[in-house]
Amino acid sequence: MEMEQLLSMGFPSELAAQALAATGGKSTLKATEWILSHKPSNPNSNTSPNQTPPPPFQPKLDRFFHFQTKLSNSPPSPEPTATAPSIQVLPRRDPEEDSTTPSPLHNKRLKLLHPKAIGQPDITNKTHEPLSERMRPRTIFEVVGQEHILGNGSLLRSAVDRDRIPSIVFWGPPGTGKTSIAKSIVNSSQERSLYRFVTLSAVTCGVKDVRDAVEEARKLRVKSNKRTVLFVDEVHRFNKSQQDSFLPVIEDGSIVFMGATTENPSFHLITPLLSRCRVLTLNPLKPHHVETLLRRAVNDREKGLSQSVGMKVEVKDDAIEFLSTNCDGDARVALNALEISATTAASRVAGNRKKGVAEPDRDFDLVTSEENEIGPIQAIVTVDDVKEALQCKHLAYDKAGDEHYNLISALHKSMRGSDADAAIYWLARMLEGGEQPLYIARRLIRFASEDVGLADPLALNQAVSCYQACHFLGMPECNVILAQCVAYLALAPKSIAVYRAIGAAQKVVRESVGQNEGVPLHLRNAPTKLMKELGYGKEYIYPPDNPSSSTQTYLPPSLLGYKFLDWPSGNSTHQ
């Protein structure tokens, strides 16, 4: 085996036999090193017999070979070696020679190539950078969607045309293009040399990183009159002092500040920073926008989907449609799922090609290398691959963010409008997003008194029972209980008389109408003799004994006749 390997590497048979004999004949690596470190005898050499030959300049071979190559299933050499894929050594040929005999290694340079495994796709062009990163738009003209801030005459388009980029905060859900738009604005400027783009992430950097970036921006401004566009991702994670550090450099023009946040800037960014920036809201992408991005990724040969798997990839129309409608407007989710789908399809095709069989129920093609510049085979992504990659529909829901409050508001207002179908839909959205059922049940209890109230007093019993049942069962069994209560409250008659009454009373108390007088004496309790002597409870009329009495008053003198609850007095009883 060792002799065959040395011959395949281009060594003459006599030299290979001599090297194996000198090293014991069990190690190709040692034999190769012996050949490289021993100068072959040459009768025409001017070196005297007693003269020591100069040390070779050839480095040790184990710098390149950290393993023992194998050409057969024979036992490995006893010398300890690290495992690695085998390398095929191909000798370079002299174009003037017709002979195919390999030339000696010390006269001809050898080319080292990693051979492709039989049946495996060509992965020489495969990259590990995520598809969503590679497909970022380079200019604002390549951005898909967000026409309300990128259209003709918009703030951003005008700023780019005039090279007057303002400080901006981009607010929107993940995957809507906040980072991409920020980068493309600088690339779209007619005077790109006037700007330097610097990126910070509020997740990983601290105060020192911010100060260093600010100081460098100031120095650059003074030295070359070049402005720094400082982009801060997840800017809402910065504390007040970190946000304060941006204020003076935005003010003096040293930096153009751009921030990206998924949280409401009104709650998470300080007012001085907001006053120096324009807040631009980004909307979730529409399905046709996402479809455009997916097809662009499929068709792009330089940085698109084919570069992820090292072969040509075709994606079925129904697969693209499924992805575009189930990513919830998040382009990153759609592109990542597409990349995983292509990996699945490529793995299936390569596996079947290696076995030499094809599955008739699978939709994929095998094409020759002449038909495909990317690789020797082609994979077709089906809707089943996409469903496997996506696993479930992506839902944009943050249990502590804006979407949390948006959905509970939609549920509340749908029940108030007596639309049971809409109310159950918003309930389902919250449950699928992972909302705690007890939180929803607590909101239903509030609704039962605020919006149903006296029109159906049993609604409060229904809501409290719903909370208790959800506490006993938990998810997913309590979903039906919540739906029953939501439907009951949506279909129940509505009255906000109690809600208005307590609001009006609290307003009177806060504004000290009636000077917040003390309790009238006849309404006070008199458990002691002294309190009776002071007039507590004097002239109090007991209603059960005097049901027809209407002369007794219960409000302070300054509020007599004041109405808080607008409800028929005939509904009151003393039972």
mmCIF file of all heavy atoms in Angstrom, residues 119-121 123 126 308-313 339-355 357 359 362 364 366 377-381 385:
data_model
loop_
_atom_site.group_PDB
_atom_site.id
_atom_site.type_symbol
_atom_site.label_atom_id
_atom_site.label_comp_id
_atom_site.label_asym_id
_atom_site.label_seq_id
_atom_site.Cartn_x
_atom_site.Cartn_y
_atom_site.Cartn_z
ATOM 1 N N GLY A 119 -21.328 10.980 -5.919
ATOM 2 C CA GLY A 119 -22.740 11.177 -5.645
ATOM 3 C C GLY A 119 -23.035 12.407 -4.821
ATOM 4 O O GLY A 119 -24.185 12.689 -4.537
ATOM 5 N N GLN A 120 -22.009 13.146 -4.377
ATOM 6 C CA GLN A 120 -22.248 14.339 -3.591
ATOM 7 C C GLN A 120 -22.302 15.564 -4.487
ATOM 8 O O GLN A 120 -21.613 15.641 -5.490
ATOM 9 C CB GLN A 120 -21.132 14.519 -2.540
ATOM 10 C CG GLN A 120 -21.114 13.430 -1.495
ATOM 11 C CD GLN A 120 -22.373 13.447 -0.653
ATOM 12 O OE1 GLN A 120 -22.923 14.493 -0.391
ATOM 13 N NE2 GLN A 120 -22.842 12.283 -0.273
ATOM 14 N N PRO A 121 -23.105 16.573 -4.128
ATOM 15 C CA PRO A 121 -23.188 17.772 -4.956
ATOM 16 C C PRO A 121 -21.919 18.588 -4.878
ATOM 17 O O PRO A 121 -21.133 18.461 -3.953
ATOM 18 C CB PRO A 121 -24.376 18.527 -4.337
ATOM 19 C CG PRO A 121 -24.437 18.045 -2.926
ATOM 20 C CD PRO A 121 -24.003 16.614 -2.973
ATOM 21 N N ILE A 123 -19.966 21.457 -3.825
ATOM 22 C CA ILE A 123 -20.142 22.436 -2.757
ATOM 23 C C ILE A 123 -19.024 23.453 -2.741
ATOM 24 O O ILE A 123 -18.774 24.114 -1.755
ATOM 25 C CB ILE A 123 -20.228 21.738 -1.389
ATOM 26 C CG1 ILE A 123 -18.940 20.954 -1.110
ATOM 27 C CG2 ILE A 123 -21.432 20.836 -1.309
ATOM 28 C CD1 ILE A 123 -18.869 20.379 0.297
ATOM 29 N N LYS A 126 -20.378 26.873 -1.926
ATOM 30 C CA LYS A 126 -21.301 26.996 -0.806
ATOM 31 C C LYS A 126 -20.747 27.968 0.232
ATOM 32 O O LYS A 126 -19.567 27.948 0.555
ATOM 33 C CB LYS A 126 -21.560 25.629 -0.176
ATOM 34 C CG LYS A 126 -22.625 25.667 0.904
ATOM 35 C CD LYS A 126 -23.073 24.280 1.302
ATOM 36 C CE LYS A 126 -21.974 23.490 1.977
ATOM 37 N NZ LYS A 126 -22.473 22.214 2.494
ATOM 38 N N SER A 308 -26.084 28.660 -1.067
ATOM 39 C CA SER A 308 -26.243 28.060 0.254
ATOM 40 C C SER A 308 -26.010 26.561 0.230
ATOM 41 O O SER A 308 -25.545 25.981 1.212
ATOM 42 C CB SER A 308 -27.651 28.347 0.799
ATOM 43 O OG SER A 308 -27.866 29.728 0.948
ATOM 44 N N VAL A 309 -26.344 25.912 -0.888
ATOM 45 C CA VAL A 309 -26.273 24.455 -0.959
ATOM 46 C C VAL A 309 -25.325 23.964 -2.031
ATOM 47 O O VAL A 309 -25.095 22.762 -2.157
ATOM 48 C CB VAL A 309 -27.681 23.854 -1.186
ATOM 49 C CG1 VAL A 309 -28.583 24.130 -0.007
ATOM 50 C CG2 VAL A 309 -28.315 24.407 -2.457
ATOM 51 N N GLY A 310 -24.747 24.867 -2.822
ATOM 52 C CA GLY A 310 -23.772 24.471 -3.822
ATOM 53 C C GLY A 310 -24.356 23.778 -5.029
ATOM 54 O O GLY A 310 -23.656 23.024 -5.706
ATOM 55 N N MET A 311 -25.620 24.013 -5.296
ATOM 56 C CA MET A 311 -26.235 23.421 -6.483
ATOM 57 C C MET A 311 -27.409 24.288 -6.914
ATOM 58 O O MET A 311 -27.855 25.158 -6.163
ATOM 59 C CB MET A 311 -26.720 21.994 -6.211
ATOM 60 C CG MET A 311 -27.885 21.909 -5.246
ATOM 61 S SD MET A 311 -28.552 20.239 -5.098
ATOM 62 C CE MET A 311 -27.189 19.408 -4.326
ATOM 63 N N LYS A 312 -27.866 24.055 -8.116
ATOM 64 C CA LYS A 312 -29.007 24.791 -8.609
ATOM 65 C C LYS A 312 -30.265 24.359 -7.862
ATOM 66 O O LYS A 312 -30.470 23.175 -7.602
ATOM 67 C CB LYS A 312 -29.187 24.540 -10.110
ATOM 68 C CG LYS A 312 -30.319 25.337 -10.742
ATOM 69 C CD LYS A 312 -30.407 25.050 -12.226
ATOM 70 C CE LYS A 312 -31.560 25.816 -12.854
ATOM 71 N NZ LYS A 312 -31.686 25.533 -14.295
ATOM 72 N N VAL A 313 -31.092 25.335 -7.503
ATOM 73 C CA VAL A 313 -32.299 25.056 -6.726
ATOM 74 C C VAL A 313 -33.483 25.722 -7.414
ATOM 75 O O VAL A 313 -33.421 26.888 -7.785
ATOM 76 C CB VAL A 313 -32.177 25.580 -5.277
ATOM 77 C CG1 VAL A 313 -33.445 25.260 -4.493
ATOM 78 C CG2 VAL A 313 -30.964 24.990 -4.584
ATOM 79 N N GLU A 339 -33.999 28.889 3.020
ATOM 80 C CA GLU A 339 -32.658 28.307 2.999
ATOM 81 C C GLU A 339 -32.659 26.916 3.618
ATOM 82 O O GLU A 339 -32.019 25.992 3.103
ATOM 83 C CB GLU A 339 -31.698 29.226 3.748
ATOM 84 C CG GLU A 339 -30.243 28.820 3.621
ATOM 85 C CD GLU A 339 -29.318 29.870 4.193
ATOM 86 O OE1 GLU A 339 -29.714 30.570 5.157
ATOM 87 O OE2 GLU A 339 -28.192 29.999 3.688
ATOM 88 N N ILE A 340 -33.379 26.746 4.710
ATOM 89 C CA ILE A 340 -33.473 25.423 5.337
ATOM 90 C C ILE A 340 -34.189 24.447 4.408
ATOM 91 O O ILE A 340 -33.807 23.275 4.296
ATOM 92 C CB ILE A 340 -34.195 25.534 6.694
ATOM 93 C CG1 ILE A 340 -33.377 26.392 7.661
ATOM 94 C CG2 ILE A 340 -34.437 24.156 7.291
ATOM 95 C CD1 ILE A 340 -34.084 26.692 8.957
ATOM 96 N N SER A 341 -35.222 24.917 3.728
ATOM 97 C CA SER A 341 -35.947 24.060 2.774
ATOM 98 C C SER A 341 -35.028 23.588 1.663
ATOM 99 O O SER A 341 -35.063 22.421 1.263
ATOM 100 C CB SER A 341 -37.127 24.825 2.186
ATOM 101 O OG SER A 341 -37.975 25.322 3.190
ATOM 102 N N ALA A 342 -34.198 24.502 1.151
ATOM 103 C CA ALA A 342 -33.270 24.125 0.087
ATOM 104 C C ALA A 342 -32.241 23.122 0.579
ATOM 105 O O ALA A 342 -31.844 22.209 -0.147
ATOM 106 C CB ALA A 342 -32.576 25.374 -0.451
ATOM 107 N N THR A 343 -31.800 23.274 1.825
ATOM 108 C CA THR A 343 -30.860 22.314 2.400
ATOM 109 C C THR A 343 -31.481 20.928 2.487
ATOM 110 O O THR A 343 -30.845 19.920 2.175
ATOM 111 C CB THR A 343 -30.419 22.786 3.794
ATOM 112 O OG1 THR A 343 -29.846 24.093 3.689
ATOM 113 C CG2 THR A 343 -29.407 21.831 4.399
ATOM 114 N N THR A 344 -32.737 20.875 2.891
ATOM 115 C CA THR A 344 -33.442 19.594 2.961
ATOM 116 C C THR A 344 -33.562 18.955 1.585
ATOM 117 O O THR A 344 -33.308 17.756 1.407
ATOM 118 C CB THR A 344 -34.836 19.798 3.577
ATOM 119 O OG1 THR A 344 -34.707 20.380 4.874
ATOM 120 C CG2 THR A 344 -35.582 18.479 3.681
ATOM 121 N N ALA A 345 -33.954 19.749 0.598
ATOM 122 C CA ALA A 345 -34.112 19.217 -0.755
ATOM 123 C C ALA A 345 -32.782 18.760 -1.334
ATOM 124 O O ALA A 345 -32.690 17.708 -1.976
ATOM 125 C CB ALA A 345 -34.748 20.275 -1.656
ATOM 126 N N ALA A 346 -31.715 19.538 -1.103
ATOM 127 C CA ALA A 346 -30.401 19.168 -1.625
ATOM 128 C C ALA A 346 -29.880 17.898 -0.971
ATOM 129 O O ALA A 346 -29.285 17.037 -1.627
ATOM 130 C CB ALA A 346 -29.409 20.315 -1.397
ATOM 131 N N SER A 347 -30.124 17.752 0.310
ATOM 132 C CA SER A 347 -29.692 16.541 1.006
ATOM 133 C C SER A 347 -30.427 15.317 0.482
ATOM 134 O O SER A 347 -29.844 14.244 0.307
ATOM 135 C CB SER A 347 -29.926 16.702 2.510
ATOM 136 O OG SER A 347 -29.583 15.527 3.204
ATOM 137 N N ARG A 348 -31.707 15.473 0.203
ATOM 138 C CA ARG A 348 -32.488 14.344 -0.318
ATOM 139 C C ARG A 348 -31.991 13.929 -1.702
ATOM 140 O O ARG A 348 -31.817 12.745 -1.981
ATOM 141 C CB ARG A 348 -33.963 14.744 -0.380
ATOM 142 C CG ARG A 348 -34.868 13.661 -0.943
ATOM 143 C CD ARG A 348 -36.319 14.076 -0.919
ATOM 144 N NE ARG A 348 -36.587 15.162 -1.839
ATOM 145 C CZ ARG A 348 -36.977 16.376 -1.466
ATOM 146 N NH1 ARG A 348 -37.111 16.663 -0.192
ATOM 147 N NH2 ARG A 348 -37.211 17.312 -2.382
ATOM 148 N N VAL A 349 -31.722 14.919 -2.559
ATOM 149 C CA VAL A 349 -31.262 14.617 -3.911
ATOM 150 C C VAL A 349 -29.896 13.949 -3.873
ATOM 151 O O VAL A 349 -29.647 12.963 -4.574
ATOM 152 C CB VAL A 349 -31.217 15.908 -4.746
ATOM 153 C CG1 VAL A 349 -30.533 15.656 -6.074
ATOM 154 C CG2 VAL A 349 -32.627 16.440 -4.967
ATOM 155 N N ALA A 350 -28.983 14.498 -3.037
ATOM 156 C CA ALA A 350 -27.644 13.931 -2.960
ATOM 157 C C ALA A 350 -27.677 12.506 -2.423
ATOM 158 O O ALA A 350 -26.944 11.627 -2.884
ATOM 159 C CB ALA A 350 -26.761 14.804 -2.077
ATOM 160 N N GLY A 351 -28.547 12.259 -1.439
ATOM 161 C CA GLY A 351 -28.648 10.911 -0.886
ATOM 162 C C GLY A 351 -29.138 9.909 -1.898
ATOM 163 O O GLY A 351 -28.620 8.789 -1.994
ATOM 164 N N ASN A 352 -30.138 10.282 -2.677
ATOM 165 C CA ASN A 352 -30.650 9.370 -3.694
ATOM 166 C C ASN A 352 -29.668 9.183 -4.847
ATOM 167 O O ASN A 352 -29.588 8.107 -5.429
ATOM 168 C CB ASN A 352 -31.987 9.896 -4.224
ATOM 169 C CG ASN A 352 -33.126 9.639 -3.261
ATOM 170 O OD1 ASN A 352 -33.666 8.542 -3.190
ATOM 171 N ND2 ASN A 352 -33.462 10.643 -2.476
ATOM 172 N N ARG A 353 -28.912 10.228 -5.151
ATOM 173 C CA ARG A 353 -27.918 10.086 -6.216
ATOM 174 C C ARG A 353 -26.801 9.146 -5.784
ATOM 175 O O ARG A 353 -26.273 8.357 -6.577
ATOM 176 C CB ARG A 353 -27.362 11.466 -6.584
ATOM 177 C CG ARG A 353 -26.364 11.433 -7.726
ATOM 178 C CD ARG A 353 -25.945 12.848 -8.107
ATOM 179 N NE ARG A 353 -24.923 12.841 -9.135
ATOM 180 C CZ ARG A 353 -25.148 12.763 -10.430
ATOM 181 N NH1 ARG A 353 -26.384 12.655 -10.869
ATOM 182 N NH2 ARG A 353 -24.151 12.761 -11.298
ATOM 183 N N LYS A 354 -26.433 9.220 -4.516
ATOM 184 C CA LYS A 354 -25.380 8.335 -4.013
ATOM 185 C C LYS A 354 -25.828 6.877 -4.053
ATOM 186 O O LYS A 354 -25.055 5.971 -4.330
ATOM 187 C CB LYS A 354 -25.009 8.744 -2.588
ATOM 188 C CG LYS A 354 -23.858 7.965 -2.005
ATOM 189 C CD LYS A 354 -23.482 8.508 -0.642
ATOM 190 C CE LYS A 354 -22.301 7.740 -0.065
ATOM 191 N NZ LYS A 354 -21.917 8.257 1.270
ATOM 192 N N LYS A 355 -27.120 6.674 -3.746
ATOM 193 C CA LYS A 355 -27.647 5.312 -3.775
ATOM 194 C C LYS A 355 -27.920 4.837 -5.200
ATOM 195 O O LYS A 355 -28.137 3.648 -5.432
ATOM 196 C CB LYS A 355 -28.953 5.236 -2.974
ATOM 197 C CG LYS A 355 -28.763 5.534 -1.490
ATOM 198 C CD LYS A 355 -30.112 5.546 -0.787
ATOM 199 C CE LYS A 355 -29.963 5.921 0.678
ATOM 200 N NZ LYS A 355 -31.282 6.006 1.356
ATOM 201 N N VAL A 357 -30.596 5.691 -6.914
ATOM 202 C CA VAL A 357 -32.028 5.480 -7.094
ATOM 203 C C VAL A 357 -32.717 6.829 -7.037
ATOM 204 O O VAL A 357 -32.171 7.821 -6.576
ATOM 205 C CB VAL A 357 -32.619 4.541 -6.019
ATOM 206 C CG1 VAL A 357 -32.004 3.167 -6.115
ATOM 207 C CG2 VAL A 357 -32.410 5.142 -4.629
ATOM 208 N N GLU A 359 -36.719 8.587 -6.141
ATOM 209 C CA GLU A 359 -38.044 8.344 -5.602
ATOM 210 C C GLU A 359 -39.075 8.964 -6.532
ATOM 211 O O GLU A 359 -39.098 10.180 -6.702
ATOM 212 C CB GLU A 359 -38.163 8.969 -4.212
ATOM 213 C CG GLU A 359 -37.144 8.402 -3.227
ATOM 214 C CD GLU A 359 -37.237 9.085 -1.885
ATOM 215 O OE1 GLU A 359 -38.301 9.663 -1.604
ATOM 216 O OE2 GLU A 359 -36.267 9.034 -1.124
ATOM 217 N N ARG A 362 -41.224 11.851 -5.248
ATOM 218 C CA ARG A 362 -40.569 13.103 -4.908
ATOM 219 C C ARG A 362 -40.341 13.930 -6.175
ATOM 220 O O ARG A 362 -39.999 13.391 -7.225
ATOM 221 C CB ARG A 362 -39.216 12.845 -4.232
ATOM 222 C CG ARG A 362 -39.346 12.332 -2.809
ATOM 223 C CD ARG A 362 -39.870 13.423 -1.898
ATOM 224 N NE ARG A 362 -39.792 13.029 -0.512
ATOM 225 C CZ ARG A 362 -40.148 13.795 0.493
ATOM 226 N NH1 ARG A 362 -40.601 14.992 0.246
ATOM 227 N NH2 ARG A 362 -40.050 13.378 1.726
ATOM 228 N N PHE A 364 -38.051 16.018 -7.862
ATOM 229 C CA PHE A 364 -36.726 16.595 -8.059
ATOM 230 C C PHE A 364 -36.153 16.057 -9.351
ATOM 231 O O PHE A 364 -36.561 15.037 -9.877
ATOM 232 C CB PHE A 364 -35.792 16.287 -6.880
ATOM 233 C CG PHE A 364 -35.439 14.826 -6.742
ATOM 234 C CD1 PHE A 364 -34.370 14.282 -7.439
ATOM 235 C CD2 PHE A 364 -36.183 14.008 -5.915
ATOM 236 C CE1 PHE A 364 -34.047 12.960 -7.308
ATOM 237 C CE2 PHE A 364 -35.850 12.677 -5.788
ATOM 238 C CZ PHE A 364 -34.787 12.155 -6.477
ATOM 239 N N LEU A 366 -32.502 15.407 -11.838
ATOM 240 C CA LEU A 366 -31.059 15.263 -11.917
ATOM 241 C C LEU A 366 -30.639 15.775 -13.285
ATOM 242 O O LEU A 366 -31.153 15.346 -14.303
ATOM 243 C CB LEU A 366 -30.647 13.796 -11.757
ATOM 244 C CG LEU A 366 -31.054 13.115 -10.448
ATOM 245 C CD1 LEU A 366 -30.585 11.672 -10.458
ATOM 246 C CD2 LEU A 366 -30.471 13.849 -9.266
ATOM 247 N N ILE A 377 -25.999 18.667 -10.051
ATOM 248 C CA ILE A 377 -27.372 18.231 -9.860
ATOM 249 C C ILE A 377 -28.227 19.411 -9.439
ATOM 250 O O ILE A 377 -27.745 20.478 -9.086
ATOM 251 C CB ILE A 377 -27.465 17.110 -8.807
ATOM 252 C CG1 ILE A 377 -26.774 17.540 -7.518
ATOM 253 C CG2 ILE A 377 -26.902 15.825 -9.317
ATOM 254 C CD1 ILE A 377 -26.834 16.516 -6.438
ATOM 255 N N GLN A 378 -29.533 19.190 -9.475
ATOM 256 C CA GLN A 378 -30.495 20.245 -9.162
ATOM 257 C C GLN A 378 -31.527 19.698 -8.199
ATOM 258 O O GLN A 378 -31.959 18.552 -8.327
ATOM 259 C CB GLN A 378 -31.161 20.730 -10.444
ATOM 260 C CG GLN A 378 -32.416 21.567 -10.208
ATOM 261 C CD GLN A 378 -33.042 21.991 -11.500
ATOM 262 O OE1 GLN A 378 -32.592 22.925 -12.118
ATOM 263 N NE2 GLN A 378 -34.092 21.302 -11.927
ATOM 264 N N ALA A 379 -31.922 20.508 -7.248
ATOM 265 C CA ALA A 379 -32.956 20.118 -6.296
ATOM 266 C C ALA A 379 -34.151 21.029 -6.456
ATOM 267 O O ALA A 379 -34.006 22.212 -6.776
ATOM 268 C CB ALA A 379 -32.426 20.202 -4.870
ATOM 269 N N ILE A 380 -35.332 20.489 -6.225
ATOM 270 C CA ILE A 380 -36.561 21.262 -6.324
ATOM 271 C C ILE A 380 -37.230 21.283 -4.955
ATOM 272 O O ILE A 380 -37.506 20.236 -4.365
ATOM 273 C CB ILE A 380 -37.512 20.677 -7.380
ATOM 274 C CG1 ILE A 380 -36.875 20.793 -8.764
ATOM 275 C CG2 ILE A 380 -38.848 21.391 -7.348
ATOM 276 C CD1 ILE A 380 -37.758 20.312 -9.880
ATOM 277 N N VAL A 381 -37.458 22.475 -4.442
ATOM 278 C CA VAL A 381 -38.077 22.655 -3.131
ATOM 279 C C VAL A 381 -39.594 22.629 -3.291
ATOM 280 O O VAL A 381 -40.160 23.389 -4.083
ATOM 281 C CB VAL A 381 -37.626 23.986 -2.503
ATOM 282 C CG1 VAL A 381 -38.336 24.207 -1.169
ATOM 283 C CG2 VAL A 381 -36.117 23.998 -2.306
ATOM 284 N N ASP A 385 -41.331 20.610 1.872
ATOM 285 C CA ASP A 385 -40.046 21.036 2.426
ATOM 286 C C ASP A 385 -40.193 22.332 3.202
ATOM 287 O O ASP A 385 -39.594 22.508 4.268
ATOM 288 C CB ASP A 385 -39.022 21.220 1.306
ATOM 289 C CG ASP A 385 -38.716 19.931 0.578
ATOM 290 O OD1 ASP A 385 -38.688 18.878 1.235
ATOM 291 O OD2 ASP A 385 -38.525 19.978 -0.652
#
